[in-house]
Short mmCIF file of all heavy atoms in Angstrom, two decimals:
data_model
loop_
_atom_site.label_atom_id
_atom_site.label_comp_id
_atom_site.label_asym_id
_atom_site.label_seq_id
_atom_site.Cartn_x
_atom_site.Cartn_y
_atom_site.Cartn_z
N ALA B 245 -149.69 12.31 -109.22
CA ALA B 245 -150.27 13.64 -109.28
C ALA B 245 -150.63 14.14 -107.91
O ALA B 245 -150.38 15.30 -107.55
CB ALA B 245 -151.50 13.62 -110.18
N ASP B 246 -151.25 13.22 -107.14
CA ASP B 246 -151.63 13.61 -105.79
C ASP B 246 -150.40 13.96 -104.95
O ASP B 246 -150.36 14.94 -104.19
CB ASP B 246 -152.43 12.52 -105.09
CG ASP B 246 -153.79 12.30 -105.76
OD1 ASP B 246 -154.22 13.23 -106.49
OD2 ASP B 246 -154.42 11.23 -105.57
N GLY B 247 -149.37 13.07 -105.10
CA GLY B 247 -148.14 13.32 -104.31
C GLY B 247 -147.47 14.60 -104.71
O GLY B 247 -146.97 15.37 -103.87
N THR B 248 -147.45 14.83 -106.02
CA THR B 248 -146.81 16.06 -106.49
C THR B 248 -147.54 17.28 -106.02
O THR B 248 -146.96 18.28 -105.55
CB THR B 248 -146.73 16.06 -108.03
OG1 THR B 248 -146.04 14.92 -108.46
CG2 THR B 248 -146.03 17.33 -108.51
N ALA B 249 -148.89 17.20 -106.14
CA ALA B 249 -149.67 18.34 -105.70
C ALA B 249 -149.51 18.60 -104.23
O ALA B 249 -149.36 19.75 -103.75
CB ALA B 249 -151.14 18.11 -106.04
N ASP B 250 -149.54 17.48 -103.46
CA ASP B 250 -149.40 17.63 -102.00
C ASP B 250 -148.04 18.17 -101.64
O ASP B 250 -147.87 19.02 -100.73
CB ASP B 250 -149.67 16.29 -101.31
CG ASP B 250 -151.13 15.85 -101.44
OD1 ASP B 250 -152.01 16.71 -101.74
OD2 ASP B 250 -151.41 14.63 -101.25
N GLY B 251 -147.03 17.58 -102.35
CA GLY B 251 -145.64 18.03 -102.03
C GLY B 251 -145.46 19.49 -102.36
O GLY B 251 -144.82 20.24 -101.60
N THR B 252 -146.01 19.90 -103.49
CA THR B 252 -145.88 21.31 -103.89
C THR B 252 -146.60 22.20 -102.90
O THR B 252 -146.11 23.25 -102.48
CB THR B 252 -146.45 21.53 -105.29
OG1 THR B 252 -145.80 20.66 -106.21
CG2 THR B 252 -146.30 22.97 -105.73
N ALA B 253 -147.81 21.74 -102.51
CA ALA B 253 -148.57 22.51 -101.54
C ALA B 253 -147.83 22.62 -100.22
O ALA B 253 -147.82 23.67 -99.55
CB ALA B 253 -149.96 21.90 -101.34
N SER B 254 -147.21 21.42 -99.85
CA SER B 254 -146.48 21.42 -98.56
C SER B 254 -145.30 22.38 -98.61
O SER B 254 -145.00 23.12 -97.67
CB SER B 254 -146.03 20.00 -98.22
OG SER B 254 -147.16 19.17 -98.06
N THR B 255 -144.60 22.35 -99.74
CA THR B 255 -143.42 23.22 -99.87
C THR B 255 -143.81 24.67 -99.89
O THR B 255 -143.17 25.55 -99.30
CB THR B 255 -142.65 22.87 -101.16
OG1 THR B 255 -142.32 21.51 -101.13
CG2 THR B 255 -141.42 23.73 -101.29
N ALA B 256 -144.95 24.94 -100.60
CA ALA B 256 -145.38 26.33 -100.70
C ALA B 256 -145.96 26.84 -99.41
O ALA B 256 -145.83 28.02 -99.09
CB ALA B 256 -146.44 26.45 -101.81
N SER B 257 -146.63 26.02 -98.64
CA SER B 257 -147.32 26.49 -97.45
C SER B 257 -146.42 26.55 -96.22
O SER B 257 -146.63 27.37 -95.34
CB SER B 257 -148.57 25.62 -97.19
OG SER B 257 -148.14 24.30 -96.93
N THR B 258 -145.58 25.58 -96.12
CA THR B 258 -144.73 25.54 -94.91
C THR B 258 -143.37 25.01 -95.27
O THR B 258 -143.23 24.04 -95.98
CB THR B 258 -145.40 24.73 -93.81
OG1 THR B 258 -144.53 24.66 -92.71
CG2 THR B 258 -145.73 23.32 -94.30
N ALA B 259 -142.38 25.56 -94.77
CA ALA B 259 -140.99 25.20 -95.07
C ALA B 259 -140.47 24.16 -94.16
O ALA B 259 -139.41 23.58 -94.40
CB ALA B 259 -140.10 26.47 -94.96
N GLU B 260 -141.24 23.91 -93.01
CA GLU B 260 -140.67 22.98 -92.07
C GLU B 260 -140.81 21.54 -92.48
O GLU B 260 -140.27 20.66 -91.81
CB GLU B 260 -141.29 23.14 -90.67
CG GLU B 260 -142.78 22.77 -90.59
CD GLU B 260 -143.61 24.04 -90.68
OE1 GLU B 260 -143.11 25.05 -91.17
OE2 GLU B 260 -144.78 24.00 -90.29
N HIS B 261 -141.66 21.23 -93.60
CA HIS B 261 -141.75 19.81 -94.02
C HIS B 261 -140.40 19.39 -94.53
O HIS B 261 -139.81 20.06 -95.38
CB HIS B 261 -142.81 19.65 -95.13
CG HIS B 261 -144.21 19.72 -94.56
ND1 HIS B 261 -144.76 18.73 -93.85
CD2 HIS B 261 -145.12 20.72 -94.62
CE1 HIS B 261 -145.98 19.08 -93.48
NE2 HIS B 261 -146.21 20.32 -93.95
N SER B 262 -140.02 18.24 -94.10
CA SER B 262 -138.73 17.69 -94.53
C SER B 262 -138.90 16.73 -95.67
O SER B 262 -140.02 16.36 -96.03
CB SER B 262 -138.07 16.97 -93.36
OG SER B 262 -138.85 15.84 -93.00
N VAL B 263 -137.84 16.32 -96.27
CA VAL B 263 -137.85 15.33 -97.37
C VAL B 263 -138.41 14.02 -96.91
O VAL B 263 -139.12 13.33 -97.63
CB VAL B 263 -136.43 15.16 -97.93
CG1 VAL B 263 -136.39 14.04 -98.97
CG2 VAL B 263 -135.93 16.45 -98.51
N ASP B 264 -138.17 13.65 -95.69
CA ASP B 264 -138.68 12.36 -95.17
C ASP B 264 -140.20 12.34 -95.15
O ASP B 264 -140.83 11.32 -95.45
CB ASP B 264 -138.14 12.11 -93.75
CG ASP B 264 -136.62 11.86 -93.74
OD1 ASP B 264 -136.12 11.44 -94.82
OD2 ASP B 264 -136.01 12.07 -92.69
N ASP B 265 -140.78 13.52 -94.79
CA ASP B 265 -142.25 13.56 -94.78
C ASP B 265 -142.81 13.36 -96.17
O ASP B 265 -143.82 12.70 -96.37
CB ASP B 265 -142.72 14.91 -94.20
CG ASP B 265 -142.36 15.03 -92.71
OD1 ASP B 265 -142.26 13.96 -92.06
OD2 ASP B 265 -142.25 16.16 -92.24
N TRP B 266 -142.18 13.94 -97.13
CA TRP B 266 -142.68 13.82 -98.53
C TRP B 266 -142.58 12.40 -99.03
O TRP B 266 -143.48 11.86 -99.66
CB TRP B 266 -141.85 14.77 -99.41
CG TRP B 266 -142.36 14.78 -100.83
CD1 TRP B 266 -143.31 15.55 -101.34
CD2 TRP B 266 -141.86 13.97 -101.87
NE1 TRP B 266 -143.51 15.34 -102.65
CE2 TRP B 266 -142.58 14.31 -103.01
CE3 TRP B 266 -140.85 13.00 -101.99
CZ2 TRP B 266 -142.36 13.73 -104.24
CZ3 TRP B 266 -140.67 12.44 -103.21
CH2 TRP B 266 -141.43 12.78 -104.33
N LEU B 267 -141.44 11.75 -98.67
CA LEU B 267 -141.25 10.35 -99.08
C LEU B 267 -142.31 9.45 -98.43
O LEU B 267 -142.80 8.50 -99.05
CB LEU B 267 -139.84 9.87 -98.73
CG LEU B 267 -138.69 10.51 -99.51
CD1 LEU B 267 -137.33 10.07 -98.95
CD2 LEU B 267 -138.79 10.14 -100.97
N GLU B 268 -142.66 9.73 -97.19
CA GLU B 268 -143.68 8.92 -96.51
C GLU B 268 -145.01 9.05 -97.20
O GLU B 268 -145.75 8.07 -97.40
CB GLU B 268 -143.79 9.39 -95.05
CG GLU B 268 -144.80 8.60 -94.19
CD GLU B 268 -144.37 7.16 -94.04
OE1 GLU B 268 -143.20 6.82 -94.17
OE2 GLU B 268 -145.27 6.30 -93.83
N ALA B 269 -145.33 10.31 -97.61
CA ALA B 269 -146.59 10.52 -98.33
C ALA B 269 -146.60 9.81 -99.66
O ALA B 269 -147.61 9.27 -100.09
CB ALA B 269 -146.82 12.03 -98.52
N ALA B 270 -145.42 9.80 -100.32
CA ALA B 270 -145.35 9.10 -101.62
C ALA B 270 -145.58 7.61 -101.48
O ALA B 270 -146.13 6.97 -102.34
CB ALA B 270 -143.98 9.40 -102.27
N ARG B 271 -145.11 7.03 -100.35
CA ARG B 271 -145.33 5.59 -100.12
C ARG B 271 -146.80 5.29 -99.81
O ARG B 271 -147.35 4.27 -100.18
CB ARG B 271 -144.44 5.09 -98.99
CG ARG B 271 -142.97 4.94 -99.37
CD ARG B 271 -142.24 4.15 -98.30
NE ARG B 271 -142.25 4.81 -97.01
CZ ARG B 271 -141.34 5.70 -96.60
NH1 ARG B 271 -140.34 6.03 -97.40
NH2 ARG B 271 -141.42 6.25 -95.42
N VAL B 272 -147.46 6.18 -99.12
CA VAL B 272 -148.85 5.92 -98.71
C VAL B 272 -149.81 6.02 -99.90
O VAL B 272 -150.71 5.22 -100.07
CB VAL B 272 -149.25 6.92 -97.60
CG1 VAL B 272 -150.76 6.80 -97.32
CG2 VAL B 272 -148.47 6.64 -96.36
N GLU B 273 -149.62 6.98 -100.79
CA GLU B 273 -150.59 7.21 -101.89
C GLU B 273 -150.66 6.07 -102.88
O GLU B 273 -151.75 5.69 -103.30
CB GLU B 273 -150.22 8.53 -102.61
CG GLU B 273 -150.45 9.77 -101.76
CD GLU B 273 -151.85 9.86 -101.27
OE1 GLU B 273 -152.80 9.43 -102.02
OE2 GLU B 273 -152.08 10.35 -100.16
#
């Protein structure tokens, strides 16, 4: 849930986040 929320927020707020950044966040949570 946290990853999804963060990823959605990241996608909605800034377009420069890449897929690699999202995957890194998913591993950390």
Side-chain angles (χ1 to χ4, degrees):
D246 294 341
T248 303
D250 293 341
T252 303
S254 298
T255 304
S257 63
T258 177
E260 66 262 20
H261 284 286
S262 65
V263 174
D264 292 337
D265 293 333
W266 184 88
L267 293 173
E268 181 65 23
R271 285 193 298 271
V272 171
E273 291 304 326

